[in-house]
Amino acid sequence: MYLKRKIDRILEEWKASPDRKPLIIKGARQVGKTRSVRHFAEKEYKSIVEINFFEEPKYNVIVRDGYSADDIIRNITLLDPRKKIIPGETLIFFDEIQKFPDICTSFKFFRQDGRYDVIASGSLLGTSYNEIESISVGSKIDKEMKSMDFEEFLWANGYSEKNIEEILTHMVEGCPFSDAEMTAFGHIFMDYAITGGMPEIVDMYITNGHFGGVYDAQQQIVNDYREDVRKYVTGLDQARILNVFDKIPVQLAKDNKKFQLSKVKSGARFKDYWGCIDWLDTAGVINICYCLNTPELPIKGNYDEKKYKLYYCDTGLLVSQLDEEAQEDLRVNQNLGVYKGAMYENLAGEALVKQGYDLYYYKRKDSTLEEDFFIRSRDDLIPVEIKAGNNVSRSLRELIKSEKYPDIHYGIKFISGNIGHENNIYTFPLFCLFLLKRYLKKGIR
């Protein structure tokens, strides 16, 4: 079963452009890049030529006679005469190009030739993307793909665009959801938290109608991530990257969720580990949330690069790394204890990143004021608070009321409860997180 993805529309728009360049789809392992490209190609082209440089390293020789379209096509058909390449009707799909970045040199020539469409993709592409960028600058288009967001999860479960528009209308008009709506969307949001957005796992959950097999599949993806570190990184950095990745769930479970290198290894220094954290971020495996120096505009440059929280790119993968009791508690909707805040924060960070936001938080040095996230509109800095319940938001109220923070005029809080508005705090259920950007475009009333 193919699961509808947002990349589908991007691929269609790319195909409709008369001057389309070769397209590179970047993203972490298992987010659905290959499946989406194949689905698109089967609808749009008479002939599809797929070359996977990881599974078929023999194709590394296709550039030995040159990088022109004719040179490469001739060598492809020499290696496999069954591949049919029809001018004007063929998509050439280079997959796992991180194993052979030199192929990107040909993109300039494919673009000049114009007879064949080219899409390229690769898992953990960011790890070798500097090399790819240097040899294909100006000759390609980049698009990033992540695991499924909650909207895509709703599509997969049979909800329509109309259903999603109704959720947004509730938010814009400030109209509380009915008990039936709260129950239905609350339950499916919790299912999303458990499964995460990896399409293989979502497909398994929908097909089976239960969580059987989900945990094992999540564990396999995490193990594949670890194996990729071993493949693409050598020396001391390999162990450092794995240590950072493995310590994220434990550190998120603390009251102070700031990532502490001293908890990774005694005596660990920022300069020794920052490249490892950047590697995981570039690879699409984690999301970094930086601490603002002060809650004011502009955000860019107004943060401390040595103070940050780390989140998993996919909350389902985070849940799979919690202790077994916490996983079982979540699946039967019981108390998660120390992990509850970690899961909800990770969900929020993931939702913000998938809407195109960078992640920032703030904690005052005296620890009396702390806010989970900050985003900005055209004119305002907006604090965003995540609550498992509906506790009093003292920090949020202070940020809004204090004259010390002139860029903050209102705040947004996501809770387990219903819609509300009081003291310039707009409150929404957690399942509305994926619509925050669209809500802000409609304007605060």
Side-chain angles (χ1 to χ4, degrees):
M1 177 177 68
Y2 180 73
L3 303 177
K4 178 183 174 183
R5 302 298 305 275
K6 293 183 177 179
I7 196 72
D8 298 343
R9 181 175 297 176
I10 292 172
L11 289 168
E12 290 166 2
E13 291 172 350
W14 171 79
K15 178 69 164 61
S17 173
D19 186 32
R20 53 188 171 274
K21 299 177 181 180
L23 174 66
I24 296 182
I25 300 178
K26 301 186 288 183
R29 174 191 286 273
Q30 296 292 332
V31 298
K33 302 181 298 297
T34 300
R35 186 186 298 187
S36 292
V37 173
R38 286 174 179 166
H39 177 76
F40 161 74
E42 287 167 1
K43 293 191 305 177
E44 298 290 340
Y45 296 90
K46 286 188 177 180
S47 177
I48 308 161
V49 174
E50 180 177 338
I51 294 173
N52 185 307
F53 290 110
F54 180 78
E55 295 178 355
E56 303 173 295
K58 68 179 182 180
Y59 283 99
N60 291 6
V61 302
I62 61 177
V63 300
R64 288 187 179 176
D65 297 326
Y67 294 95
S68 73
D70 285 336
D71 289 332
I72 289 173
I73 288 166
R74 182 174 58 254
N75 285 331
I76 289 173
T77 55
L78 281 172
L79 287 168
D80 186 355
R82 295 169 299 176
K83 294 188 183 298
K84 303 301 180 185
I85 303 179
I86 307 166
E89 298 178 342
T90 299
L91 175 71
I92 300 174
F93 177 31
F94 297 119
D95 202 3
E96 302 288 4
I97 62 170
Q98 81 279 358
K99 296 298 292 183
F100 188 56
D102 199 29
I103 191 63
C104 298
T105 303
S106 70
F107 291 173
K108 173 183 177 181
F109 302 100
F110 272 108
R111 186 191 178 200
Q112 291 172 348
D113 184 280
R115 291 176 293 165
Y116 312 99
D117 288 348
V118 175
I119 294 178
S121 179
S123 300
L124 292 178
L125 187 55
T127 60
S128 56
Y129 200 67
N130 287 340
E131 181 181 355
I132 291 170
E133 180 66 28
S134 67
I135 61 181
S136 60
V137 63
S139 301
K140 45 97 175 116
I141 299 170
D142 295 306
K143 295 295 180 182
E144 187 169 5
M145 189 173 179
K146 298 182 182 298
S147 64
M148 298 171 72
D149 67 8
F150 185 52
E151 183 170 15
E152 291 170 313
F153 190 78
L154 287 173
W155 293 342
N157 281 274
Y159 289 90
S160 66
E161 299 284 356
K162 181 181 177 182
N163 297 131
I164 290 161
E165 190 61 33
E166 288 171 352
I167 298 174
L168 181 59
T169 299
H170 274 282
M171 296 175 70
V172 172
E173 295 181 355
C175 176
F177 293 94
S178 68
D179 289 344
E181 289 170 323
M182 286 295 296
T183 299
F185 290 123
H187 282 170
I188 197 167
F189 184 71
M190 189 58 63
D191 289 350
Y192 173 67
I194 296 170
T195 63
M198 296 298 182
E200 174 192 348
I201 295 171
V202 175
D203 193 358
M204 178 187 301
Y205 158 77
I206 292 172
T207 300
N208 297 336
H210 55 72
F211 297 113
V214 165
Y215 170 74
D216 289 339
Q218 289 168 329
Q219 286 282 357
Q220 185 58 54
I221 291 175
V222 172
N223 288 337
D224 288 343
Y225 283 169
R226 293 191 181 105
E227 186 58 33
D228 279 335
V229 174
R230 297 184 183 100
K231 282 180 190 173
Y232 295 109
V233 183
T234 58
L236 189 59
D237 279 348
Q238 183 182 109
R240 288 172 175 167
I241 290 172
L242 291 172
N243 282 341
V244 168
F245 183 66
D246 290 340
K247 293 296 191 299
I248 291 174
V250 175
Q251 297 217 27
L252 280 179
K254 300 181 304 181
D255 288 336
N256 174 17
K257 295 178 174 60
K258 182 174 80 74
F259 196 83
Q260 296 175 287
L261 289 174
S262 61
K263 304 297 183 181
V264 175
K265 184 176 181 181
S266 178
R269 297 178 298 178
F270 175 82
K271 69 175 185 177
D272 294 329
Y273 274 83
W274 178 247
C276 304
I277 294 168
D278 184 59
W279 190 97
L280 289 166
D281 178 48
T282 304
V285 176
I286 65 170
N287 296 319
I288 306 176
C289 183
Y290 291 102
C291 183
L292 292 174
N293 292 318
T294 181
E296 64 182 21
L297 296 175
I299 295 181
K300 297 289 187 181
N302 175 27
Y303 62 87
D304 188 338
E305 65 176 9
K306 295 184 179 181
K307 294 180 181 177
Y308 48 86
K309 301 177 185 179
L310 300 182
Y311 300 107
Y312 270 28
C313 64
D314 185 271
T315 303
L317 299 185
L318 172 71
V319 170
S320 76
Q321 299 306 295
L322 305 181
D323 61 62
E324 292 183 11
E325 291 77 12
Q327 293 167 25
E328 182 61 27
D329 284 348
L330 181 57
R331 284 165 172 77
V332 297
N333 202 25
Q334 294 179 355
N335 181 27
L336 268 175
V338 296
Y339 292 113
K340 183 180 290 185
M343 186 192 73
Y344 283 126
E345 270 199 39
N346 203 95
L347 276 166
E350 180 186 348
L352 292 175
V353 167
K354 288 177 176 177
Q355 292 171 76
Y357 290 112
D358 295 323
L359 300 183
Y360 302 97
Y361 76 102
Y362 178 68
K363 185 171 185 178
R364 199 156 60 192
K365 291 181 179 179
D366 61 10
S367 297
T368 59
L369 189 152
E370 183 173 6
E371 195 55 68
D372 298 324
F373 299 100
F374 286 84
I375 59 175
R376 68 163 300 171
S377 63
R378 185 179 64 181
D379 301 314
D380 298 309
L381 180 64
I382 307 167
V384 177
E385 189 159 291
I386 311 300
K387 293 286 188 184
N390 188 17
N391 304 346
V392 175
S393 305
R394 292 187 177 88
S395 292
L396 190 53
R397 289 181 179 181
E398 181 177 344
L399 286 165
I400 295 167
K401 289 182 177 181
S402 176
E403 294 180 356
K404 296 178 182 178
Y405 313 111
D407 295 322
I408 299 174
H409 302 102
Y410 60 91
I412 296 176
K413 183 167 67 168
F414 290 95
I415 64 171
S416 295
N418 215 322
I419 287 177
H421 176 221
E422 184 180 14
N423 299 321
N424 287 334
I425 299 174
Y426 296 82
T427 303
F428 302 105
L430 285 157
F431 61 75
C432 294
L433 270 162
F434 75 104
L435 288 170
L436 178 57
K437 196 166 194 174
R438 273 177 267 181
Y439 167 71
L440 291 175
K441 286 182 178 178
K442 297 277 188 177
I444 297 288
R445 295 193 173 190

